[in-house]
Amino acid sequence: MKVKVIPVLEDNYMYLVIEELTREAVAVDVAVPKRLLEIVGREGVSLTAVLTTHHHWDHARGNPELARLRPGLAVLGADERIFSLTRRLAHGEELRVSARPREGGVGAPGPPALTGPPAPPPQFGAIHVRCLLTPGHTSGHMSYFLWEDDCPDPPALFSGDALLVAGCGSCLEGSAQQMYQSLAELGTLPPETVFCGHEHTLSNLEFAQKVEPCNVHGLWSLQKRDEDDVPTVPSTLGEERLYNPFLRVAEEPVRKFTGKAVPADVLEALCKERARFEQAGEPRQPQARALLALQWGLLSAAPNK
């Protein structure tokens, strides 16, 4: 199982997951379809499906064009607002995606909502996909846990905006309790690789140091990543448990920082403090997004981030 990390827009990531024996691939969060197809061609793989974490434009805006260029492509997610959705996924569902979909399989177009008994798991080489509904950032946010049988490569979590390196996405459509439950579920997964939706790591680590100034793991990671000046994905859940305050709401220093004791209340207070931290920081330069928009022809797209 090979994962191609593809930086796009100002700070987004999309991904191409390749099954190296069958040369079949699935994409995650397609924002710039032409860029994706360039890499699909360069790698010499067959694109079978798109996994979309949530409906925001910077994660799903490329689906319609990709579906037009690749008729019959499966576009999967948990929210009917996702562009060009062909099948709506359920929490806990497990998939194996195929380049030659059979009737009732994941590649067959169908109604957004699943009805009746579930179809047998479609095939995609040896790579399994477990769908995990993780509401909070949006009500229909889905994270994807991928693994391959009898493979030395570690499993991979594609967490979109539910879990970022050293942080998490803003709680826009859910409650703090929902977000806490989502992060708690992700935190129980094996301590392996995490591919998230944005490059916000340095800012997140700076905030994590504000929350836990004596956390040496966070300080070391901040210094290392700042010095390396390279993309900071992937991370691992093992690392995140050491310094991501949003996964550490039961720890005494985090509770003391927020003045709260109930985990969901701690998380809600952290989110508010994180928003204040961003507002107090240096304003982002709008030129960066404008230049990238010109490069990829995105100026007509209305942001819904």
Side-chain angles (χ1 to χ4, degrees):
M1 186 171 72
K2 174 182 177 181
V3 179
K4 297 289 291 184
V5 179
I6 309 171
V8 291
L9 307 181
E10 180 183 6
D11 56 27
N12 278 75
Y13 288 111
M14 60 183 184
Y15 300 97
L16 185 68
V17 186
I18 300 170
E19 209 293 318
E20 295 191 271
L21 292 178
T22 65
R23 305 306 294 168
E24 296 177 2
V26 60
V28 181
D29 282 355
V30 178
V32 184
K34 291 182 180 178
R35 174 66 173 150
L36 176 71
L37 291 178
E38 286 175 5
I39 295 173
V40 166
R42 187 185 311 150
E43 293 289 327
V45 297
S46 174
L47 183 65
T48 66
V50 174
L51 300 174
T52 304
T53 60
H54 61 294
H55 74 282
H56 286 169
W57 78 282
D58 55 334
H59 296 260
R61 69 166 301 279
N63 291 350
E65 183 178 357
L66 192 61
R68 180 182 63 81
L69 295 171
R70 296 293 175 95
L73 185 70
V75 179
L76 312 176
D79 194 323
E80 61 186 10
R81 295 173 292 180
I82 292 172
F83 304 135
S84 302
L85 188 72
T86 61
R87 183 165 174 237
R88 189 172 177 182
L89 301 171
H91 175 65
E93 187 172 356
E94 292 195 4
L95 307 172
R96 296 176 71 187
V97 186
S98 173
R100 293 167 295 282
R102 58 181 180 271
E103 186 177 354
V106 82
L114 295 174
T115 58
Q123 302 300 309
F124 172 56
I127 295 180
H128 301 261
V129 182
R130 181 179 301 153
C131 306
L132 301 170
L133 190 63
T134 46
H137 182 64
T138 67
S139 58
H141 192 292
M142 185 74 86
S143 299
Y144 301 98
F145 183 67
L146 278 66
W147 76 98
E148 190 170 9
D149 292 332
D150 304 320
C151 177
D153 297 325
L157 171 66
F158 294 88
S159 58
D161 287 2
L163 176 67
L164 304 176
V165 181
C168 68
S170 303
C171 190
L172 300 179
E173 295 182 359
S175 65
Q177 180 64 35
Q178 285 179 310
M179 179 169 274
Y180 165 69
Q181 291 173 337
S182 296
L183 290 172
E185 178 163 14
L186 295 181
T188 64
L189 294 172
E192 304 290 355
T193 310
V194 179
F195 294 95
C196 65
H198 289 277
E199 181 58 61
H200 292 171
T201 302
L202 290 180
S203 176
N204 287 344
L205 283 168
E206 288 170 357
F207 176 71
Q209 278 296 290
K210 180 180 178 181
V211 176
E212 292 186 275
C214 295
N215 188 326
V216 294
H217 301 290
L219 180 61
W220 177 85
S221 184
L222 174 61
Q223 291 173 340
K224 181 179 185 303
R225 292 175 188 267
D226 193 24
E227 291 169 358
D228 289 347
D229 192 26
V230 296
T232 61
V233 299
S235 178
T236 71
L237 276 170
E239 293 172 344
E240 294 303 308
R241 294 184 191 119
L242 293 176
Y243 52 69
N244 188 329
F246 297 91
L247 291 181
R248 295 172 54 81
V249 292
E251 299 296 326
E252 181 58 31
V254 182
R255 294 167 62 185
K256 183 178 180 181
F257 174 80
T258 62
K260 305 292 182 181
V262 178
D265 294 342
V266 175
L267 183 64
E268 184 175 25
L270 278 176
C271 289
K272 291 178 180 177
E273 287 297 326
R274 182 68 175 90
R276 293 191 191 100
F277 180 81
E278 285 185 347
Q279 291 169 1
E282 211 173 296
R284 297 191 178 189
Q285 299 299 321
Q287 297 94 328
R289 183 180 291 276
L291 287 172
L292 284 163
L294 282 170
Q295 181 179 359
W296 296 112
L298 304 179
L299 286 179
S300 60
N304 180 24
K305 194 166 179 181

